[in-house]
Amino acid sequence: MKEYWDKGIGFEEYVHIGRQRLESPDNQKDIDYKQYYELGLQRMDRTLKKYTPDEEQLKILKSKNFDGKILIISEAWCGDASATVPALIKFFEGKNEVRIFLRDGDKTLINQFLTNGTESIPKVIILNDDFTVKNSWGPRPQYGKELLLKYKADPEGYPKDEFYNDLQIYYAKNRGKDAVQEILELL
């Protein structure tokens, strides 16, 4: 895990790479994902502006005496990541180091943390100080998982557009609080 950690990047570089891929795409995928990069960057900006760490959650973090690191597998175009990653960055800021590993550049890490056989992101890997894996979380909070199950159970009665809309409304209102809480429970 230390090798993946060493290849990880900071949040500012993560956002910079996302903007670069949006403004100067150098492959077909970046061209095809233009609208997702735009939305992802807008949502990350909104989350950064509106997210404030919850005092009770900060107390829980302190009580856990967790001295490890947080490695997030992500990509800037991902809707779930755009709502979660900035909140985690701000929550752990000054407490635990956080790095981001870009999924699409090297699939060997995500392939160790598949979600029902898929490369779903973000995936949060909680590392002990010796780089052993303590736990993992992702790609979305429990409420988001429930919405996905509702969509998969009845795609005609609960169409994809409605699912995506409901999920984004949830993320905008929740502002990362549920994701942080679920990760705290894994520390």
Side-chain angles (χ1 to χ4, degrees), residues 22-122:
L22 171 65
E23 295 164 4
S24 304
D26 64 359
N27 59 55
Q28 190 59 47
K29 182 176 182 178
D30 288 349
I31 293 167
D32 294 344
Y33 277 48
K34 180 180 173 138
Q35 68 179 348
Y36 302 113
Y37 279 112
E38 286 175 345
L39 279 172
L41 291 163
Q42 288 170 4
R43 289 171 178 156
M44 282 192 280
D45 189 49
R46 180 184 66 215
T47 300
L48 284 173
K49 286 178 182 170
K50 297 194 176 212
Y51 177 80
T52 304
D54 179 86
E55 288 302 319
E56 287 302 311
Q57 289 180 328
L58 288 171
K59 287 178 186 174
I60 292 169
L61 177 62
K62 189 173 182 177
S63 75
K64 297 271 186 171
N65 292 317
F66 175 66
D67 60 354
K69 301 173 183 334
I70 306 294
L71 183 60
I72 305 171
I73 307 169
S74 190
E75 288 289 343
W77 53 258
C78 174
D80 292 305
S82 65
T84 305
V85 173
L88 294 176
I89 295 295
K90 285 187 81 173
F91 181 78
F92 285 103
E93 190 173 53
K95 294 155 202 71
N96 297 89
E97 196 175 349
V98 180
R99 290 193 184 171
I100 300 166
F101 187 87
L102 298 175
R103 183 198 74 177
D104 294 344
D106 179 348
K107 301 281 182 114
T108 59
L109 183 57
I110 192 66
N111 286 332
Q112 297 174 52
F113 295 93
L114 299 176
T115 302
N116 300 321
T118 68
E119 299 173 347
S120 300
I121 51 176

Side-chain angles (χ1 to χ4, degrees), residues 148-163:
L148 178 63
L149 290 174
K150 179 180 171 183
Y151 159 68
K152 286 187 172 189
D154 185 16
E156 289 180 25
Y158 187 56
K160 188 181 260 187
D161 289 346
E162 193 174 333
F163 159 62

Side-chain angles (χ1 to χ4, degrees), residues 123-140:
K123 198 67 161 186
V124 177
I125 305 166
I126 302 165
L127 299 170
N128 292 309
D129 62 350
D130 65 355
F131 294 97
T132 56
V133 176
K134 181 177 180 85
N135 223 322
S136 66
W137 175 93
R140 62 186 60 89

